[in-house]
Amino acid sequence: MNPNLQGALLMMGSMAAFTMNDVFVKLLAETVPLFQIVFLRGVMTTVLLAATVAAFGKLTFRIPRGDRAKVALRTVFEVLTVVTFLTALVNMELANATAILAALPLVVTLGAALLFKEPVGWRRWTAIAVGASGVFLIVQPGTAGFNAYSLLALVAVFLVAGRDLSTRAFSNQVPLMSIAVLTAASVGAFGGIMSLTIEWVPMTGREIAYLAGSALFIIGGYVLSIFVMRVGDVAVTSPFRYTALVFALILGVVVFAEFPNALALTGAAIVVATGVFTLIRERQVARG
C-alpha cells in the first residue's frame, strides 16, 4: 500500500470517527443536558487521551514562553467551538451541520490571506465566493427549512478557523499531542462549570454507553488525524476530509431518518467541489 493510499484511508477513518462522535452526542442530547455531556465526555476524553499520549512518552506541558498566549487563544477557540457546534448539532440535521462545517478549508484560506498575507489568486478568491454561495444554500435563510442554529454552525466554522490559524502560528517546539490533552481538559472544565447552572439527570446504561462511544470515537478521530500528517501528500489526502459529509448523510438517514432537501444537497456539493479545487490549486502553486 503506497503512502498516499494509506493517508487517504486514515483520513476517511478520521472523518468516520468524528462523525460517529457527533451521532453519539446527538443521541445522548435527546435525554441528557448538553453541558452535562460536555463535562463527562471531557473527563473521559482527557483521561484516555492523556494515558495514550503518556504511553508513547509524549506527554509534556513544557510550552515555550512565546507560544503560551497562542496556546491560550487556541484553547478559547476550541471551547467556544465545542459549545457552538454541539448546540447547533443537537438542534439541526446531522448532514446539514457537517456540510456547513465543510466550508472550513475555504475560511482558513481566507484567514491565512488576511492574517499571514499568504498569496491567494483570483481563482481561489472565486472558489471562496462560490463556496459561500453553497453554504447559503445549506443554511437557506428565509425559507421554511431555515433554522437559527444553522447560523450557530456557521459561527462554529469561523471559530474552528481561528483555532487552526492559531495552531499554524505555533513554533515547532510546541508538543501538539499534549496540547490536545490540555484542550480536552479545558473543554471538560468549561462544561463542568456550566453544568452547575443546569439540573443534572441520572443516566441509564445505554446513555453511559453512548457517552463512552463519543469519547472513544473523538479520541480515534484525533489520533488518526495526526497519523494522516505522517504519511502521504497533504494535497492528496486532504480532499478525503469531505467523506465526513458522506458519512453524515448516510448516518443521518439510518439513525435519525433525516433527509436533507435538494437545496441543501446542492449546496453541500458546491462546498465540496470548491474545497477540493482550493486544495488542488494550493498544490499547483506549491509546485510553482
Side-chain angles (χ1 to χ4, degrees):
M1 187 181 297
N2 65 60
N4 282 339
L5 179 55
Q6 291 179 31
L9 292 175
L10 286 169
M11 179 63 81
M12 287 190 286
S14 172
M15 294 302 101
F18 281 129
T19 307
M20 283 301 301
N21 161 70
D22 292 342
V23 169
F24 279 119
V25 170
K26 194 171 175 66
L27 286 170
L28 195 53
E30 293 176 357
T31 52
V32 179
L34 181 59
F35 286 120
Q36 182 177 341
I37 296 171
V38 171
F39 171 63
L40 294 176
R41 190 190 68 171
V43 172
M44 282 189 178
T45 303
T46 302
V47 171
L48 293 173
L49 190 57
T52 302
V53 176
F56 285 96
K58 300 293 185 181
L59 188 61
T60 175
F61 296 104
R62 294 180 180 176
I63 301 171
R65 185 178 300 274
D67 289 297
R68 292 173 186 173
K70 300 170 189 175
V71 170
L73 181 62
R74 183 194 186 280
T75 302
V76 170
F77 276 127
E78 182 70 28
V79 170
L80 293 177
T81 295
V82 169
V83 173
T84 53
F85 182 70
L86 291 186
T87 301
L89 177 67
V90 300
N91 288 283
M92 60 186 297
E93 293 184 356
L94 175 65
N96 284 11
T98 305
I100 293 173
L101 203 60
L104 178 61
L106 305 176
V107 177
V108 170
T109 299
L110 176 62
L114 296 176
L115 297 176
F116 299 117
K117 308 302 179 183
E118 293 186 7
V120 178
W122 67 269
R123 294 179 181 83
R124 282 190 284 176
W125 281 121
T126 302
I128 290 172
V130 173
S133 71
V135 173
F136 188 81
L137 290 177
I138 300 168
V139 175
Q140 298 174 31
T143 68
F146 173 74
N147 186 329
Y149 292 104
S150 301
L151 296 180
L152 199 58
L154 191 57
V155 170
V157 171
F158 286 94
L159 290 171
V160 175
R163 180 201 67 189
D164 289 353
L165 291 170
S166 299
T167 305
R168 182 176 294 193
F170 287 175
S171 70
N172 293 331
Q173 286 71 46
V174 175
L176 294 181
M177 286 300 294
S178 295
I179 295 303
V181 175
L182 178 63
T183 300
S186 299
V187 170
F190 179 81
I193 293 171
M194 295 304 296
S195 70
L196 297 176
T197 66
I198 62 172
E199 182 177 351
W200 279 50
V201 300
M203 296 174 63
T204 64
R206 174 179 293 184
E207 291 165 342
I208 293 173
Y210 286 162
L211 184 68
S214 174
L216 289 173
F217 274 112
I218 200 169
I219 290 174
Y222 284 151
V223 172
L224 290 175
S225 64
I226 290 171
F227 285 165
V228 166
M229 296 297 103
R230 296 183 179 275
V231 296
D233 298 325
V234 173
V236 174
T237 59
S238 289
F240 287 90
R241 185 181 302 275
Y242 293 108
T243 55
L245 183 54
V246 177
F247 295 131
L249 284 168
I250 295 172
L251 290 169
V253 172
V254 173
V255 180
F256 302 106
E258 298 173 347
F259 298 89
N261 60 32
L263 277 179
L265 291 174
T266 301
I270 291 173
V271 169
V272 170
T274 52
V276 171
F277 171 81
T278 298
L279 293 167
I280 292 173
R281 183 60 186 167
E282 287 178 352
R283 185 182 185 188
Q284 292 174 340
V285 170
R287 287 179 171 179

